[in-house]
Amino acid sequence: MSSQYPRTVHDFFGFAECLYEVEYAAENKPEACAKIAEALDAAEIPWEFDGTRGYDFGCWSPVALIFPAADVPLIQVSLHSSLDEATHVRLGQALGTLRDVGYLLVCTGGVTHNLMDLSFGDDRLPPAAVGFDNWVGEVLKYEENRTQYEEVDEAWSARSARLCKWLDPDQGVFLAAQNCHPTPEHFLPLLVASGSGGPCSTVHHSWTYGCLSMASFMFGTMPS
């Protein structure tokens, strides 16, 4: 969370000059922040208000494509400093309750994010990236639909629990997961999204820069 009119932070290097010229002037409404704080308090998740932090690239870059006029209030919520998987599922459960009162939860990250594997003009995808991308897709497509789950909440919880095991050697993707995510912060937003509940559907899938999966998923129904 940040001030009412957060600045646009360009926290990246070596990209097209036009990106550094973007100013995304969305409003951060205090009453919306208060609702989020209430949801976090109810879930017993500690939080702090940051009055200086601006909208970072991971926040404004996708939202600017969805709402280019910046006419929808935007509240930025950080990852938990613990970087613990289960905590981020709980964070999603807490924030997911706000969807019933008109909030749209947008979780930005990447199924794969190893910038050391970037390539330009080479169409050969790294096997580790393909393997981990396939594993995530399979979990999201099939786990919640297994017949042993009698209630949808149980199925969605099982989906999240499986994603939390992304570094478990028993899942068979340990080395691929480590390769795709030298650090976990680009994968954890998916756990927040899954934790928010709702059936999962694939919105988009492609690759860019030779190794970055652009897979996008929706949890719940399309907002009207």
Side-chain angles (χ1 to χ4, degrees):
M1 301 179 188
S2 187
S3 59
Q4 187 172 356
Y5 296 97
R7 59 194 172 88
T8 304
V9 178
H10 303 88
D11 51 347
F12 50 88
F13 304 93
F15 287 84
E17 185 62 30
C18 60
L19 290 176
Y20 300 93
E21 298 172 354
V22 174
E23 295 294 332
Y24 195 71
E27 182 180 5
N28 189 350
K29 288 190 173 181
E31 57 268 32
C33 290
K35 279 285 189 183
I36 293 173
E38 290 174 8
L40 297 178
D41 284 340
E44 299 184 344
I45 298 175
W47 60 272
E48 293 182 0
F49 182 83
D50 185 343
T52 61
R53 179 69 180 174
Y55 293 134
D56 67 36
F57 178 65
C59 176
W60 63 257
S61 62
V63 177
L65 298 176
I66 304 171
F67 305 110
D71 54 354
V72 174
L74 177 62
I75 315 300
Q76 178 175 261
V77 180
S78 72
L79 296 176
H80 193 272
S81 60
S82 68
L83 300 182
D84 172 70
E85 288 88 352
T87 298
H88 287 87
V89 173
R90 288 181 54 230
L91 179 59
Q93 292 170 340
L95 296 178
T97 62
L98 297 174
R99 293 190 303 199
D100 294 336
V101 291
Y103 285 65
L104 175 65
L105 180 60
V106 180
C107 301
T108 67
V111 172
T112 65
H113 197 273
N114 187 344
L115 300 186
M116 299 302 294
D117 284 341
L118 291 183
S119 66
F120 302 88
D122 187 348
D123 294 332
R124 294 172 297 178
L125 299 172
V130 174
F132 189 65
D133 181 75
N134 286 342
W135 179 82
V136 170
E138 290 292 308
V139 171
L140 293 178
K141 183 176 182 179
Y142 294 114
E143 186 63 39
E144 67 189 65
N145 295 310
R146 295 184 185 276
T147 56
Q148 68 261 37
Y149 305 129
E150 297 182 359
E151 302 291 339
V152 292
D153 286 344
E154 180 186 5
W156 298 335
S157 293
R159 175 188 66 203
S160 297
R162 182 93 183 277
L163 290 174
C164 284
K165 296 179 180 179
W166 67 298
L167 291 175
D168 185 336
D170 290 341
Q171 295 298 313
V173 290
F174 175 70
L175 293 178
Q178 282 193 318
N179 178 272
C180 292
H181 293 280
T183 56
E185 66 270 13
H186 290 89
F187 182 71
L188 293 175
L190 180 60
L191 301 183
V192 178
S194 179
S196 70
C200 178
S201 57
T202 300
V203 176
H204 173 81
H205 189 278
S206 65
W207 294 88
T208 191
Y209 293 121
C211 68
L212 300 181
S213 170
M214 302 302 288
S216 301
F217 306 98
M218 181 173 67
F219 296 84
T221 57
M222 180 68 74
S224 57

